[in-house]
Every structure is written in structure tokens, then in C-alpha cells.
Amino acid sequence: MYRKPSPQMTIEDFILPFAGKLAADNRWVKLAAIIPWDEIEKQYAFMFPSDRGNVAKPVRMTLGALIIQTRCGFTDRETVQQITENPYLQYLIGLREYQLTRPFTPAAMVKFRKRFNTKRLADINEKILQAENSKQEMEIEQDDDHHDNDSGGSGNLEEKNEMSEEEAIAEADARPNQGTLILDATCTPADISFPTDHRLLNEAREQLDRMIDTLHQTDGKGTRRPRTYRQKARKDYLSLSKQRNPRKNQIRKAIKKQLQYVRRNLQIVDQMLMKVAEQNEICPLSQRQEKLLTVIRKLYEQQAAMYKNRSHRISDRIVNIYQPHVRPIVRGKAGAAVEFGAKVAISLEDGYSRIEKLSWDSFNEAGTFEETVEHYRERHGCYPEAVLADKIYRNRDNLLYCKKHHIRLSGPRLGRPPASSTLQKAEKRLERLDAKQRNAVEGKFGEGKRKYSLARVVAKLKETAECMITMQFLVMNLEHKLRVLFLQIWIWLFPQRFQTISC
């Protein structure tokens, strides 16, 4: 059930004890002013079609709490505690007056993250970025209507709305290209230990031992617990893990032993579960243990296949039994050749970033080039003048696409260098300028990984991890918008100083 809150409140509506007032120049107050809460609330209400049940928390409370957590790097408990103690944070989440009791529990933060998937957060991000542009477009349309009242301006608008996709592309090709688009991709590592086959099999064996204990305790007939050799298996695991540089044959022998232990435990668990099913009893394993059992079965199949084929590669390889969605991403960087997490391809435009593709499986970011440029055309009605990207984007298909739509793709042009030394110097100068401008996307990744949590995503579930990754870029866009607003205020207050700087 969802109940629509009252219209968006202002800073004067918030009630503080002892007749206090909030400061209008506070960062949380300014942040709340640039977010279009009413527009976001319209889509959020569709998630609760039923009129029965408990009333859900409003969108300003749920999204505001996630923004606070992402911007400050708090845990769920610390986020609730900070909101309880700070009146500015309570204003951001939409409370009408300061209260001493917590507005929600820390466990509710998990539900908040599940409500905002990647697509929904991308729509919210787009609404925030287009808020100022829509105002400018409305002013332009009002001026056009004022000048074209006698020429039927409303009919032209209706014709534009009914324009087909092919006509829109043709019109975009006719318009001159404008703007610059920067593309790049990165990996957002998950909070897991570096995976090894030996350690993964040992963790699976330990979890199977716990499942056997649970099944044996609920038997209640005084039967003897099945033998699993847990002490011997633990000793075999430590004998290899304590070595500094074990040899290949030692690693292979240790993996074989752990595979045998896991296979024996799986057979025992299957026999005990079959016995429970024959007696028509409720399965004593918890829902978490049942999910782990499914993951362990797949892990054993993968490890057995790699051991048999003497290979270290397999499709959909599991690197963590508690987060089976995490995949290895080969990056080839100096610090880490392989990272374990989600791969994100973004586009950067005027300092604002948009996630173009987020996947836990490795993908070639060059395949997102055409779709990203088409999204730019849908937003602006024309293609970009230049696209600044890495060398991996310069494949044959992308080059032909850029040539067709008269887009300049950064990097050296194909073919022989020009004979004129003047043209060669001009091309090198343009390449250096493109490289300088493309550094902005590297700085955006650095900001997300140093200041925020892109360097280590601590969420365990797949959907909550995707929510946290997308929230990082949304909050960075809000921060950039605040900096632009602050700069505009300074330009308005001290115009002479900025004219001197520009000169």
C-alpha cells in the first residue's frame, strides 16, 4: 500500500524545537532543492498498486536515506543513527518536524535498496540532469509560441510528437553535430577475498559439515553422525595454505583431496534429505542453506571439470559461494590483472555521468558505442561532434558508424600520415587535446573509488549491489550540480573577478 504525501515542502515548513530555523545555505537543504521529488514520486507510487496493507515509506524518505548513506559512506545502522540526531538529514528525507525517535529501522535499508533497481535509478538520474534543461526548453518554447501564434505553432509541435524514428534520425543527420561525449568502462570490485580453488572447496566442505550437523540434530532417533573426516580435511587444507610458494603438483594433489571431501559430504547430505522426504517431514535446512547447497553443487561440478581437463577457465565460474553472481573481470591493469565484481560502461557529458551498461559478466565495451551515441541523439536531437574514447572503441564497425554520421572519434586516423608537416603537427595537437579532455572520465572513476565506495562494494545481494553502484554515480552527479550552482552564485556576486580570470 502507498499513500501519497503532501506536496513538496520548503525549508520554512520544517519545525524545529525552541522556535529554531534551518539555515538556507546548508548543503543538505540545497541538495534537497535540486531533486525533483514530485516527479520521482509519481513513478514510485506505481510500485504499490494495492490499497491494503501497511503504508510504505514515501520516496523522499527511501531515496533520501540512500543518498545520505552513499554520500557519507555510513553503514545501515550508522545511517539511521545520523538521521535520528541531525535535523538537516530529517529535512532531506521529508520529515515535517524534528523528532527524537528513529524514522525507520536499519533493516529497512535493505528493502529500500531492493526497490530501486538499475533502470529505475537511471530514470531518476535522467530526471535530475534534465531538470534545468527542461526549464530552458520551456522558456524557448514560450518565446516561439509568442512569435508564432499566427503561424500555427501548436500544429508544428503535434507534428514533431508524431514523428517516426526514421524521420527523427534523418532530422538528426540534417542538424549539425554538437557537443562532446566521453566513454570508458571500469570494474567495481566486490568485497570478497581473493578466490583460489583450494580455499573455495574448503569453504564448501565446511558449509556441508554444518548442514550435516543440522540434519543430524533434527533426526532425534539417537543415530550416529555420519563420518566426514572434518579434522583430517582441515589439516590437509592448512598444510597447503601455510606454504609460501607451493608447487603445482602439490596444489593439484590438495585440490583432489578437497574434491573428494566435498563429494562425500554431498552424498551424505543427499541421503539425509532423501530420508527426510520419505518420512514426509519439513526440511530442517534454512532458506540460506538451501541456496548455498545449490551453489555448492554447481561449484563442485565446475571444479571437477577443471581438474579433469587441467584447465583454469570455465563459463560462469563461481568465485565466492556467498555471492555466486560475482565474476572475474580481466582488466590487465598494473595493480590488478583480474578484478572480481561488476563491469560498468559509462558516458560523461559536461561533467555528468550516465551508466550505459552494468553487467556481472565481462563484455567488450566497444559493443555499447552505437547505443550510447543513439541515446545522446535522443536527448539532444543531434549527434555529438566528437567522441573521446579509448583505443578499444576504435574497431571497424564503430569507425564506419562515425564516418556515416560525421562524428570524430578520438585517436590517430587510419591510413598513411599526411605529407604536410603542418597537418601532422595539427593532428598531434588535436590528439593531445583529446587525451586531456578524456582524463575527465578517469577522474570520475577516481572520485568514485576514493571518495565513495566504488573501490569495494560491500552489498551481498545482486540487486542491492547494483543499487549501490548506480547510487554512487547519481550522488556524484548531485555533487557536481552543487558545485556548478555554487560557481554560478560566485559569478553573480563577483562578476569582475571572474572576468579578470577569463581574460
Side-chain angles (χ1 to χ4, degrees):
M1 178 180 178
Y2 186 76
R3 184 177 299 163
K4 184 177 179 180
S6 54
Q8 183 172 348
M9 64 178 184
T10 60
I11 185 175
E12 289 80 9
D13 299 331
F14 191 81
I15 302 174
L16 276 173
F18 308 110
K21 292 184 178 180
L22 296 178
D25 58 347
N26 185 268
R27 55 175 180 167
W28 299 108
V29 175
K30 293 181 178 179
L31 185 63
I34 64 178
I35 301 176
W37 299 107
D38 293 338
E39 296 183 11
I40 299 172
E41 191 268 339
K42 294 178 182 178
Q43 295 183 353
Y44 182 77
F46 288 109
M47 298 174 57
F48 309 94
S50 177
D51 296 335
R52 299 182 179 181
N54 296 330
V55 180
K57 301 294 183 182
V59 65
R60 181 159 179 171
M61 181 174 292
T62 56
L63 184 61
L66 294 178
I67 291 174
I68 294 169
Q69 183 184 39
T70 304
R71 189 177 184 184
C72 300
F74 295 147
T75 61
D76 292 346
R77 293 182 182 274
E78 184 65 21
T79 301
V80 177
Q81 188 68 22
Q82 291 290 337
I83 292 175
T84 307
E85 298 171 354
N86 195 328
Y88 288 98
L89 300 184
Q90 293 188 10
Y91 168 75
L92 177 66
I93 65 173
L95 297 181
R96 287 291 173 179
E97 59 181 329
Y98 179 72
Q99 64 182 34
L100 299 176
T101 58
R102 59 184 186 182
F104 49 85
T105 61
M109 293 291 295
V110 182
K111 298 180 180 179
F112 294 168
R113 286 191 288 269
K114 288 183 178 180
R115 292 177 186 175
F116 294 97
N117 54 17
T118 305
K119 185 178 182 303
R120 191 168 289 112
L121 284 176
D123 295 339
I124 294 174
N125 185 35
E126 196 65 31
K127 289 182 181 298
I128 293 174
L129 298 184
Q130 297 296 334
E132 295 182 359
N133 295 336
S134 61
K135 294 181 181 179
Q136 296 177 358
E137 290 176 359
M138 289 178 62
E139 294 177 356
I140 294 174
E141 289 180 358
Q142 289 177 0
D143 294 338
D144 293 341
D145 293 339
H146 177 73
H147 293 293
D148 300 335
N149 283 332
D150 299 333
S151 59
S154 59
N156 294 331
L157 291 176
E158 292 178 359
E159 292 178 0
K160 290 182 180 180
N161 293 332
E162 296 177 356
M163 186 180 302
S164 63
E165 183 68 18
E166 296 179 355
E167 294 175 350
I169 295 176
E171 184 181 358
D173 290 333
R175 293 183 58 183
N177 295 356
Q178 298 177 357
T180 302
L181 189 63
I182 308 177
L183 307 180
D184 205 352
T186 188
C187 181
T188 56
D191 186 24
I192 62 173
S193 59
F194 188 85
T196 60
D197 298 337
H198 187 238
R199 184 185 299 171
L200 285 173
L201 290 172
N202 179 71
E203 291 179 356
R205 179 196 58 80
E206 292 177 348
Q207 291 295 332
L208 290 173
D209 274 329
R210 296 189 181 97
M211 296 178 192
I212 293 173
D213 292 339
T214 303
L215 293 170
H216 177 68
Q217 290 175 1
T218 56
D219 193 359
K221 295 184 180 179
T223 58
R224 187 175 180 179
R225 183 188 181 278
R227 181 177 295 180
T228 57
Y229 301 96
R230 63 173 70 187
Q231 294 180 355
K232 184 179 178 181
R234 178 67 178 175
K235 185 177 180 180
D236 292 339
Y237 166 71
L238 293 176
S239 64
L240 181 71
S241 61
K242 289 182 178 180
Q243 296 186 27
R244 185 182 297 272
N245 295 314
R247 295 189 299 271
K248 291 184 179 180
N249 59 346
Q250 291 178 332
I251 297 175
R252 182 171 174 80
K253 186 177 179 180
I255 291 176
K256 180 181 179 180
K257 289 183 178 180
Q258 295 297 325
L259 282 171
Q260 292 173 349
Y261 292 134
V262 172
R263 183 182 62 202
R264 180 186 292 109
N265 288 1
L266 280 173
Q267 292 175 356
I268 294 173
V269 170
D270 291 338
Q271 292 174 2
M272 300 180 77
L273 289 176
M274 188 180 299
K275 186 178 179 180
V276 171
E278 291 176 354
Q279 296 177 357
N280 296 327
E281 296 180 357
I282 300 176
C283 181
L285 297 180
S286 62
Q287 186 177 4
R288 181 174 180 271
Q289 288 179 326
E290 291 179 355
K291 292 181 180 179
L292 276 176
L293 183 59
T294 305
V295 174
I296 290 172
R297 292 184 192 277
K298 186 176 181 180
L299 173 68
Y300 173 77
E301 294 176 359
Q302 291 181 352
Q303 294 294 330
M306 288 189 294
Y307 178 83
K308 181 179 179 181
N309 299 328
R310 294 180 177 270
S311 173
H312 297 285
R313 293 185 179 182
I314 197 168
S315 60
D316 297 333
R317 183 175 180 178
I318 296 176
V319 296
N320 189 277
I321 62 175
Y322 308 105
Q323 301 182 48
H325 55 275
V326 177
R327 296 286 180 267
I329 307 295
V330 179
R331 299 291 294 162
K333 302 294 184 180
V338 181
E339 294 178 322
F340 305 91
K343 189 173 182 180
V344 184
I346 73 166
S347 63
L348 192 68
E349 180 188 347
D350 297 331
Y352 297 105
S353 57
R354 293 176 174 88
I355 294 181
E356 301 297 338
K357 186 174 182 179
L358 190 153
S359 175
W360 295 95
D361 297 322
S362 182
F363 63 91
N364 189 350
E365 51 264 36
T368 63
F369 182 86
E370 294 186 12
E371 185 178 0
T372 303
V373 176
E374 290 297 330
H375 289 167
Y376 182 93
R377 193 264 308 167
E378 292 175 1
R379 292 193 300 268
H380 300 280
C382 63
Y383 289 100
E385 180 182 358
V387 177
L388 311 182
D390 204 353
K391 291 182 179 180
I392 194 173
Y393 289 90
R394 294 179 55 83
N395 57 22
R396 186 179 300 273
D397 295 336
N398 293 341
L399 289 173
L400 290 175
Y401 177 83
C402 292
K403 183 178 180 180
K404 177 182 177 182
H405 299 288
H406 310 287
I407 301 172
R408 183 176 62 84
L409 184 58
S410 62
R413 68 184 184 90
L414 299 180
R416 295 180 179 180
S420 174
S421 60
T422 305
L423 293 178
Q424 290 184 9
K425 292 181 180 180
E427 287 185 357
K428 291 182 179 180
R429 191 182 304 111
L430 183 60
E431 291 179 12
R432 289 194 295 267
L433 181 61
D434 290 343
K436 291 179 181 179
Q437 293 180 357
R438 206 188 73 83
N439 285 336
V441 71
E442 301 293 347
K444 185 64 66 174
F445 289 149
E447 179 186 359
K449 293 188 176 183
R450 292 179 180 272
K451 186 176 179 181
Y452 300 99
S453 303
L454 282 182
R456 178 175 293 181
V457 181
V458 297
K460 304 299 180 184
L461 300 177
K462 180 180 179 180
E463 55 269 23
T464 56
E466 292 176 355
C467 174
M468 290 189 67
I469 294 170
T470 313
M471 281 297 302
Q472 311 294 330
F473 292 97
L474 190 146
V475 171
M476 283 191 288
N477 289 336
L478 290 174
E479 288 287 331
H480 182 74
K481 203 165 188 178
L482 284 177
R483 290 193 292 267
V484 171
L485 179 63
F486 180 76
L487 180 61
Q488 292 176 353
I489 294 175
W490 273 87
I491 293 175
W492 179 71
L493 292 176
F494 307 101
Q496 298 179 353
R497 179 180 300 180
F498 283 91
Q499 288 177 0
T500 305
I501 294 175
S502 62
C503 296

mmCIF file of all heavy atoms in Angstrom, residues 57-87:
data_model
loop_
_atom_site.group_PDB
_atom_site.id
_atom_site.type_symbol
_atom_site.label_atom_id
_atom_site.label_comp_id
_atom_site.label_asym_id
_atom_site.label_seq_id
_atom_site.Cartn_x
_atom_site.Cartn_y
_atom_site.Cartn_z
ATOM 1 N N LYS A 57 6.911 3.582 3.084
ATOM 2 C CA LYS A 57 7.619 4.842 3.302
ATOM 3 C C LYS A 57 7.634 5.644 2.010
ATOM 4 O O LYS A 57 7.771 5.088 0.914
ATOM 5 C CB LYS A 57 9.050 4.575 3.755
ATOM 6 C CG LYS A 57 9.159 3.757 5.032
ATOM 7 C CD LYS A 57 8.604 4.510 6.220
ATOM 8 C CE LYS A 57 8.792 3.709 7.515
ATOM 9 N NZ LYS A 57 8.222 4.414 8.678
ATOM 10 N N PRO A 58 7.503 6.964 2.075
ATOM 11 C CA PRO A 58 7.491 7.781 0.851
ATOM 12 C C PRO A 58 8.835 7.767 0.159
ATOM 13 O O PRO A 58 9.870 7.409 0.735
ATOM 14 C CB PRO A 58 7.114 9.174 1.360
ATOM 15 C CG PRO A 58 7.463 9.162 2.805
ATOM 16 C CD PRO A 58 7.277 7.772 3.281
ATOM 17 N N VAL A 59 8.830 8.182 -1.092
ATOM 18 C CA VAL A 59 10.036 8.096 -1.905
ATOM 19 C C VAL A 59 11.109 9.044 -1.386
ATOM 20 O O VAL A 59 12.310 8.748 -1.488
ATOM 21 C CB VAL A 59 9.697 8.401 -3.378
ATOM 22 C CG1 VAL A 59 9.223 9.841 -3.548
ATOM 23 C CG2 VAL A 59 10.895 8.143 -4.270
ATOM 24 N N ARG A 60 10.717 10.173 -0.819
ATOM 25 C CA ARG A 60 11.726 11.105 -0.320
ATOM 26 C C ARG A 60 12.475 10.507 0.862
ATOM 27 O O ARG A 60 13.671 10.759 1.032
ATOM 28 C CB ARG A 60 11.062 12.425 0.079
ATOM 29 C CG ARG A 60 12.045 13.461 0.590
ATOM 30 C CD ARG A 60 11.504 14.858 0.513
ATOM 31 N NE ARG A 60 12.447 15.837 1.022
ATOM 32 C CZ ARG A 60 12.314 17.151 0.927
ATOM 33 N NH1 ARG A 60 11.247 17.648 0.315
ATOM 34 N NH2 ARG A 60 13.214 17.975 1.417
ATOM 35 N N MET A 61 11.802 9.696 1.665
ATOM 36 C CA MET A 61 12.469 9.059 2.801
ATOM 37 C C MET A 61 13.385 7.932 2.331
ATOM 38 O O MET A 61 14.523 7.815 2.802
ATOM 39 C CB MET A 61 11.432 8.527 3.799
ATOM 40 C CG MET A 61 12.030 7.868 5.025
ATOM 41 S SD MET A 61 10.792 7.418 6.247
ATOM 42 C CE MET A 61 10.245 9.047 6.779
ATOM 43 N N THR A 62 12.909 7.092 1.406
ATOM 44 C CA THR A 62 13.706 5.957 0.958
ATOM 45 C C THR A 62 14.918 6.404 0.138
ATOM 46 O O THR A 62 16.051 6.010 0.410
ATOM 47 C CB THR A 62 12.834 5.009 0.132
ATOM 48 O OG1 THR A 62 12.241 5.731 -0.959
ATOM 49 C CG2 THR A 62 11.726 4.426 0.986
ATOM 50 N N LEU A 63 14.671 7.251 -0.862
ATOM 51 C CA LEU A 63 15.770 7.708 -1.703
ATOM 52 C C LEU A 63 16.705 8.645 -0.939
ATOM 53 O O LEU A 63 17.924 8.598 -1.120
ATOM 54 C CB LEU A 63 15.223 8.406 -2.948
ATOM 55 C CG LEU A 63 16.257 8.853 -3.983
ATOM 56 C CD1 LEU A 63 17.031 7.666 -4.528
ATOM 57 C CD2 LEU A 63 15.577 9.614 -5.116
ATOM 58 N N GLY A 64 16.138 9.483 -0.074
ATOM 59 C CA GLY A 64 16.985 10.368 0.724
ATOM 60 C C GLY A 64 17.905 9.620 1.655
ATOM 61 O O GLY A 64 19.070 9.993 1.836
ATOM 62 N N ALA A 65 17.418 8.539 2.254
ATOM 63 C CA ALA A 65 18.270 7.734 3.131
ATOM 64 C C ALA A 65 19.410 7.081 2.352
ATOM 65 O O ALA A 65 20.552 7.016 2.828
ATOM 66 C CB ALA A 65 17.427 6.674 3.839
ATOM 67 N N LEU A 66 19.127 6.613 1.136
ATOM 68 C CA LEU A 66 20.187 6.019 0.313
ATOM 69 C C LEU A 66 21.211 7.064 -0.122
ATOM 70 O O LEU A 66 22.410 6.771 -0.202
ATOM 71 C CB LEU A 66 19.569 5.348 -0.905
ATOM 72 C CG LEU A 66 18.672 4.126 -0.632
ATOM 73 C CD1 LEU A 66 18.085 3.603 -1.939
ATOM 74 C CD2 LEU A 66 19.457 3.028 0.072
ATOM 75 N N ILE A 67 20.760 8.281 -0.407
ATOM 76 C CA ILE A 67 21.690 9.353 -0.777
ATOM 77 C C ILE A 67 22.598 9.695 0.396
ATOM 78 O O ILE A 67 23.811 9.887 0.230
ATOM 79 C CB ILE A 67 20.907 10.582 -1.259
ATOM 80 C CG1 ILE A 67 20.232 10.287 -2.605
ATOM 81 C CG2 ILE A 67 21.813 11.797 -1.392
ATOM 82 C CD1 ILE A 67 19.326 11.386 -3.097
ATOM 83 N N ILE A 68 22.036 9.770 1.586
ATOM 84 C CA ILE A 68 22.842 10.065 2.780
ATOM 85 C C ILE A 68 23.878 8.968 3.008
ATOM 86 O O ILE A 68 25.060 9.235 3.282
ATOM 87 C CB ILE A 68 21.932 10.220 4.008
ATOM 88 C CG1 ILE A 68 21.042 11.459 3.863
ATOM 89 C CG2 ILE A 68 22.750 10.307 5.289
ATOM 90 C CD1 ILE A 68 19.936 11.557 4.892
ATOM 91 N N GLN A 69 23.461 7.729 2.900
ATOM 92 C CA GLN A 69 24.392 6.622 3.118
ATOM 93 C C GLN A 69 25.502 6.603 2.073
ATOM 94 O O GLN A 69 26.670 6.383 2.407
ATOM 95 C CB GLN A 69 23.629 5.302 3.085
ATOM 96 C CG GLN A 69 24.495 4.087 3.379
ATOM 97 C CD GLN A 69 23.732 2.790 3.234
ATOM 98 O OE1 GLN A 69 22.922 2.637 2.328
ATOM 99 N NE2 GLN A 69 23.972 1.859 4.142
ATOM 100 N N THR A 70 25.155 6.861 0.811
ATOM 101 C CA THR A 70 26.161 6.829 -0.249
ATOM 102 C C THR A 70 27.122 8.001 -0.145
ATOM 103 O O THR A 70 28.331 7.846 -0.335
ATOM 104 C CB THR A 70 25.467 6.851 -1.619
ATOM 105 O OG1 THR A 70 24.544 5.761 -1.698
ATOM 106 C CG2 THR A 70 26.474 6.727 -2.732
ATOM 107 N N ARG A 71 26.598 9.164 0.183
ATOM 108 C CA ARG A 71 27.444 10.350 0.215
ATOM 109 C C ARG A 71 28.407 10.335 1.396
ATOM 110 O O ARG A 71 29.544 10.795 1.280
ATOM 111 C CB ARG A 71 26.563 11.596 0.294
ATOM 112 C CG ARG A 71 27.331 12.891 0.115
ATOM 113 C CD ARG A 71 26.414 14.092 0.127
ATOM 114 N NE ARG A 71 27.151 15.320 -0.138
ATOM 115 C CZ ARG A 71 26.619 16.522 -0.113
ATOM 116 N NH1 ARG A 71 25.330 16.656 0.125
ATOM 117 N NH2 ARG A 71 27.346 17.591 -0.359
ATOM 118 N N CYS A 72 27.992 9.783 2.519
ATOM 119 C CA CYS A 72 28.821 9.790 3.731
ATOM 120 C C CYS A 72 29.523 8.463 3.995
ATOM 121 O O CYS A 72 30.390 8.404 4.870
ATOM 122 C CB CYS A 72 27.963 10.159 4.944
ATOM 123 S SG CYS A 72 27.176 11.777 4.826
ATOM 124 N N GLY A 73 29.146 7.411 3.290
ATOM 125 C CA GLY A 73 29.783 6.123 3.500
ATOM 126 C C GLY A 73 29.400 5.448 4.797
ATOM 127 O O GLY A 73 30.214 4.721 5.372
ATOM 128 N N PHE A 74 28.180 5.661 5.263
ATOM 129 C CA PHE A 74 27.728 5.063 6.518
ATOM 130 C C PHE A 74 27.265 3.630 6.296
ATOM 131 O O PHE A 74 26.892 3.230 5.193
ATOM 132 C CB PHE A 74 26.574 5.873 7.122
ATOM 133 C CG PHE A 74 26.952 7.266 7.546
ATOM 134 C CD1 PHE A 74 26.036 8.305 7.459
ATOM 135 C CD2 PHE A 74 28.212 7.542 8.031
ATOM 136 C CE1 PHE A 74 26.372 9.592 7.851
ATOM 137 C CE2 PHE A 74 28.565 8.828 8.424
ATOM 138 C CZ PHE A 74 27.640 9.845 8.333
ATOM 139 N N THR A 75 27.262 2.867 7.379
ATOM 140 C CA THR A 75 26.578 1.582 7.384
ATOM 141 C C THR A 75 25.084 1.804 7.586
ATOM 142 O O THR A 75 24.629 2.931 7.805
ATOM 143 C CB THR A 75 27.141 0.688 8.488
ATOM 144 O OG1 THR A 75 26.923 1.333 9.764
ATOM 145 C CG2 THR A 75 28.642 0.451 8.299
ATOM 146 N N ASP A 76 24.315 0.733 7.537
ATOM 147 C CA ASP A 76 22.866 0.880 7.721
ATOM 148 C C ASP A 76 22.533 1.400 9.115
ATOM 149 O O ASP A 76 21.696 2.302 9.270
ATOM 150 C CB ASP A 76 22.175 -0.471 7.486
ATOM 151 C CG ASP A 76 22.264 -0.904 6.026
ATOM 152 O OD1 ASP A 76 22.611 -0.059 5.185
ATOM 153 O OD2 ASP A 76 21.981 -2.077 5.743
ATOM 154 N N ARG A 77 23.179 0.853 10.117
ATOM 155 C CA ARG A 77 22.910 1.316 11.490
ATOM 156 C C ARG A 77 23.355 2.759 11.700
ATOM 157 O O ARG A 77 22.657 3.553 12.335
ATOM 158 C CB ARG A 77 23.626 0.398 12.485
ATOM 159 C CG ARG A 77 23.083 -1.024 12.526
ATOM 160 C CD ARG A 77 23.807 -1.863 13.564
ATOM 161 N NE ARG A 77 23.314 -3.227 13.578
ATOM 162 C CZ ARG A 77 22.266 -3.651 14.268
ATOM 163 N NH1 ARG A 77 21.606 -2.777 15.022
ATOM 164 N NH2 ARG A 77 21.881 -4.906 14.231
ATOM 165 N N GLU A 78 24.543 3.101 11.163
ATOM 166 C CA GLU A 78 25.040 4.461 11.346
ATOM 167 C C GLU A 78 24.175 5.463 10.584
ATOM 168 O O GLU A 78 23.993 6.601 11.041
ATOM 169 C CB GLU A 78 26.490 4.536 10.880
ATOM 170 C CG GLU A 78 27.167 5.879 11.115
ATOM 171 C CD GLU A 78 27.318 6.207 12.597
ATOM 172 O OE1 GLU A 78 27.271 5.269 13.422
ATOM 173 O OE2 GLU A 78 27.462 7.400 12.919
ATOM 174 N N THR A 79 23.642 5.060 9.443
ATOM 175 C CA THR A 79 22.769 5.964 8.687
ATOM 176 C C THR A 79 21.524 6.322 9.486
ATOM 177 O O THR A 79 21.136 7.498 9.577
ATOM 178 C CB THR A 79 22.365 5.306 7.354
ATOM 179 O OG1 THR A 79 23.538 5.005 6.598
ATOM 180 C CG2 THR A 79 21.477 6.233 6.545
ATOM 181 N N VAL A 80 20.884 5.331 10.087
ATOM 182 C CA VAL A 80 19.689 5.586 10.903
ATOM 183 C C VAL A 80 20.043 6.442 12.109
ATOM 184 O O VAL A 80 19.289 7.358 12.493
ATOM 185 C CB VAL A 80 19.055 4.252 11.321
ATOM 186 C CG1 VAL A 80 17.851 4.499 12.227
ATOM 187 C CG2 VAL A 80 18.629 3.452 10.096
ATOM 188 N N GLN A 81 21.212 6.172 12.707
ATOM 189 C CA GLN A 81 21.614 6.943 13.883
ATOM 190 C C GLN A 81 21.877 8.403 13.523
ATOM 191 O O GLN A 81 21.471 9.329 14.262
ATOM 192 C CB GLN A 81 22.871 6.315 14.501
ATOM 193 C CG GLN A 81 23.280 6.897 15.846
ATOM 194 C CD GLN A 81 22.292 6.577 16.953
ATOM 195 O OE1 GLN A 81 21.532 5.618 16.842
ATOM 196 N NE2 GLN A 81 22.300 7.377 18.008
ATOM 197 N N GLN A 82 22.539 8.653 12.404
ATOM 198 C CA GLN A 82 22.818 10.024 11.996
ATOM 199 C C GLN A 82 21.537 10.777 11.655
ATOM 200 O O GLN A 82 21.397 11.962 11.961
ATOM 201 C CB GLN A 82 23.768 10.012 10.790
ATOM 202 C CG GLN A 82 25.186 9.546 11.105
ATOM 203 C CD GLN A 82 25.956 10.541 11.933
ATOM 204 O OE1 GLN A 82 25.648 11.737 11.936
ATOM 205 N NE2 GLN A 82 26.958 10.072 12.648
ATOM 206 N N ILE A 83 20.598 10.108 11.005
ATOM 207 C CA ILE A 83 19.327 10.757 10.687
ATOM 208 C C ILE A 83 18.561 11.096 11.956
ATOM 209 O O ILE A 83 17.915 12.151 12.050
ATOM 210 C CB ILE A 83 18.493 9.840 9.765
ATOM 211 C CG1 ILE A 83 19.150 9.732 8.389
ATOM 212 C CG2 ILE A 83 17.066 10.366 9.617
ATOM 213 C CD1 ILE A 83 18.472 8.757 7.460
ATOM 214 N N THR A 84 18.624 10.232 12.955
ATOM 215 C CA THR A 84 17.928 10.493 14.215
ATOM 216 C C THR A 84 18.505 11.698 14.938
ATOM 217 O O THR A 84 17.780 12.420 15.629
ATOM 218 C CB THR A 84 18.007 9.249 15.112
ATOM 219 O OG1 THR A 84 17.535 8.114 14.385
ATOM 220 C CG2 THR A 84 17.151 9.416 16.367
ATOM 221 N N GLU A 85 19.800 11.970 14.779
ATOM 222 C CA GLU A 85 20.460 13.031 15.535
ATOM 223 C C GLU A 85 20.535 14.355 14.780
ATOM 224 O O GLU A 85 20.792 15.396 15.400
ATOM 225 C CB GLU A 85 21.887 12.594 15.895
ATOM 226 C CG GLU A 85 21.940 11.364 16.793
ATOM 227 C CD GLU A 85 23.353 10.839 16.954
ATOM 228 O OE1 GLU A 85 24.256 11.375 16.264
ATOM 229 O OE2 GLU A 85 23.563 9.909 17.747
ATOM 230 N N ASN A 86 20.348 14.356 13.464
ATOM 231 C CA ASN A 86 20.595 15.559 12.662
ATOM 232 C C ASN A 86 19.283 16.067 12.071
ATOM 233 O O ASN A 86 18.622 15.373 11.297
ATOM 234 C CB ASN A 86 21.578 15.215 11.528
ATOM 235 C CG ASN A 86 22.152 16.458 10.880
ATOM 236 O OD1 ASN A 86 21.504 17.492 10.784
ATOM 237 N ND2 ASN A 86 23.397 16.352 10.430
ATOM 238 N N PRO A 87 18.870 17.298 12.376
ATOM 239 C CA PRO A 87 17.614 17.833 11.810
ATOM 240 C C PRO A 87 17.705 18.093 10.309
ATOM 241 O O PRO A 87 16.698 18.005 9.599
ATOM 242 C CB PRO A 87 17.395 19.131 12.588
ATOM 243 C CG PRO A 87 18.738 19.512 13.091
ATOM 244 C CD PRO A 87 19.464 18.235 13.339
#
